[in-house]
Amino acid sequence: MQTVNPATAVNPARRTLVVMGVSGSGKSEISQAVASELTWRHIEADHFHPEANVELMRAGTALTDDDRIHWLDALSAEMQAAQANGEGFVLACSALKRIYRERLRAAVPGLQFAHLDIDRTTALQRVGARPGHFMPISLVDSQFNTLESPLDEAHVFNVSAAQSRAEVVAQVCAWVRRDATGEEIEAQVDLSSQPFDSANHAPQLTAEPIYGGGLAQLFDRLTDGLMAALMAFMVAAVFINVVLRYAFGTGWAGVEELSRLAFVWLVFVGVASSMRRGELMTFRMIRDRFPNAIRRLVDSLSWLLVIGASLLSAMGAWSQVQYGWGNHSTVVGYPVVLAMVPVLASMAVLALLALVQLINVWRRPSEQAAAPANVTAD
């Protein structure tokens, strides 16, 4: 069953959505799937709790309205930042009380909500079946006791969360796209319709960017510019050489050697850039079934292995640099060391990024602590 509230004078903010509901309704999974379908940014509210809130939730203590003020303000700032960057966003937030929803609406007028409606029994079964942690029934009950129905509020879509995830996602996306003009539909489905700043706002990739801010933006600009220049050189050089060879019977044999050199640079610069952005493949299905303490140990071991492998590769590259310092290529005559510099630099950067990520494993709030936020946050 799905319900849509009556229209109001305030127009909906089309490229905004809050997926709300009690714990066990599937907010995180549904919101991520909707964000992926719409190619919008995904925001997980649990990640914005201050440490004091996290400690309260770890102890099974429900947060008060005062506890949530700074959290809601942080979410408001994050939504406004997404809008300022021209991004659509999907926020996963329980938002059980009307005063919480109104505080979010004050930051983003016309904010849209999709309420995942679920019965108490199903919610309890889902929460109890979550791997790696245990949720007291009293905390789930408190969610239902706190819930204030949003059905009489503006721009709210009520959908049964007892359906399959695919059905829920399809219905929510159809509602978001309702009465959209051709331009709005194109903006929702075109990945290239808005510029994307991966230094500060990550898409739904295989992992999160390792760090952000101005340094990340500078790193991305340098690597993107270098890769673009290398690709342009390869295309131009090969094309011109083909034209010269087949149209005029000439050409230059050094083009192939220089193109191979550019390709080596392109590959290793790309590896470093992709790792910073979190775009390298990760496999977490088995890892995510363990308790949080085991996850941290697995993550730490993984990053230690990356550091070790990167340092070994860097040492090998340094040996090749020393060996090739006085040697030159047979055709063009460039120093052979130029072929090993990108390997050395890339492996050093990978080791440094892995070290940063290893530190982040123990500095960031635990995933286990974030899970109870779905139970007690609102």
Side-chain angles (χ1 to χ4, degrees):
M1 182 185 72
Q2 47 184 282
T3 308
V4 180
N5 66 316
T8 63
V10 180
N11 293 327
R14 287 293 188 187
R15 291 172 57 79
T16 70
L17 180 66
V18 177
V19 177
M20 59 163 291
V22 298
S23 180
S25 60
K27 293 186 297 296
S28 294
E29 287 189 354
I30 297 299
S31 61
Q32 287 176 356
V34 170
S36 178
E37 173 67 20
L38 299 176
T39 66
W40 291 358
R41 181 181 168 195
H42 181 259
I43 304 173
E44 177 56 65
D46 291 344
H47 297 166
F48 290 82
H49 276 293
E51 187 62 30
N53 286 6
V54 173
E55 292 301 324
L56 287 173
M57 290 184 286
R58 277 184 185 152
T61 303
L63 300 179
T64 66
D65 292 347
D66 290 339
D67 292 330
R68 299 184 182 97
I69 289 177
H70 297 300
W71 172 63
L72 291 168
D73 289 345
L75 295 178
S76 297
E78 196 71 12
M79 292 189 298
Q80 290 173 334
Q83 285 192 311
N85 289 334
E87 298 176 280
F89 65 82
V90 180
L91 168 64
C93 177
S94 34
L96 301 180
K97 283 188 177 183
R98 182 163 188 159
I99 58 172
Y100 306 152
R101 298 190 290 271
E102 292 301 332
R103 195 174 187 93
L104 296 177
R105 288 188 179 106
V108 180
L111 184 63
Q112 303 183 118
F113 287 79
H115 176 220
L116 305 183
D117 196 3
I118 192 171
D119 62 271
R120 191 183 303 254
T121 300
T122 304
L124 288 171
Q125 290 174 346
R126 291 183 178 180
V127 172
R130 287 177 178 173
H133 62 83
F134 171 74
M135 294 295 177
I137 294 178
S138 60
L139 292 182
V140 180
D141 286 338
S142 71
Q143 290 257 295
F144 284 90
N145 295 334
T146 302
L147 176 62
E148 297 175 359
S149 176
L151 294 183
D152 62 342
E153 302 171 17
H155 315 310
V156 174
F157 179 66
N158 193 72
V159 59
S160 173
Q163 305 174 90
S164 68
R165 185 179 74 168
E167 291 175 314
V168 175
V169 171
Q171 292 174 20
V172 171
C173 288
W175 177 73
V176 169
R177 289 169 171 155
R178 71 198 182 283
D179 303 325
T181 65
E183 290 78 11
E184 287 173 328
I185 293 175
E186 182 180 358
Q188 289 173 5
V189 299
D190 184 4
L191 280 169
S192 61
S193 61
Q194 294 293 339
F196 180 75
D197 175 16
S198 68
N200 292 304
H201 303 290
Q204 295 304 303
L205 302 172
T206 52
E208 294 182 358
I210 292 181
Y211 65 97
L215 182 60
Q217 288 182 322
L218 177 61
F219 182 82
D220 288 349
R221 291 194 188 101
L222 290 175
T223 53
D224 288 350
L226 182 56
M227 287 189 291
L230 290 168
M231 182 62 72
F233 169 78
M234 291 171 59
V235 172
V238 172
F239 177 77
I240 293 173
N241 195 52
V242 169
V243 171
L244 290 175
R245 179 172 298 176
Y246 290 97
F248 302 99
T250 59
W252 182 39
V255 166
E256 296 182 4
E257 192 172 64
L258 290 176
S259 295
R260 285 195 294 268
L261 176 63
F263 181 75
V264 172
W265 276 79
L266 183 65
V267 168
F268 284 95
V269 171
V271 168
S273 177
S274 297
M275 184 170 177
R276 204 295 303 166
R277 287 177 161 98
E279 294 174 352
L280 299 181
M281 293 183 67
T282 59
F283 300 91
R284 303 174 48 153
M285 186 184 342
I286 297 177
R287 171 259 189 202
D288 286 348
R289 294 182 178 274
F290 291 108
N292 183 65
I294 302 300
R295 294 182 195 178
R296 281 189 163 179
L297 290 176
V298 170
D299 290 345
S300 299
L301 178 60
S302 298
W303 290 116
L304 284 172
L305 289 174
V306 172
I307 293 172
S310 300
L311 289 177
L312 286 174
S313 299
M315 291 171 61
W318 175 244
S319 297
Q320 291 297 316
V321 166
Q322 292 177 308
Y323 172 78
W325 197 263
N327 298 323
H328 296 80
S329 68
T330 55
V331 179
V332 180
Y334 67 79
V336 176
V337 69
L338 290 178
M340 297 311 301
V341 168
V343 183
L344 175 62
S346 175
M347 292 301 104
V349 169
L350 259 61
L352 180 60
L353 291 174
L355 177 61
V356 172
Q357 199 69 328
L358 177 62
I359 296 173
N360 287 339
V361 168
W362 297 97
R363 289 182 58 187
R364 290 172 178 167
S366 67
E367 297 173 39
Q368 187 68 16
N374 286 329
V375 178
T376 61
D378 287 335

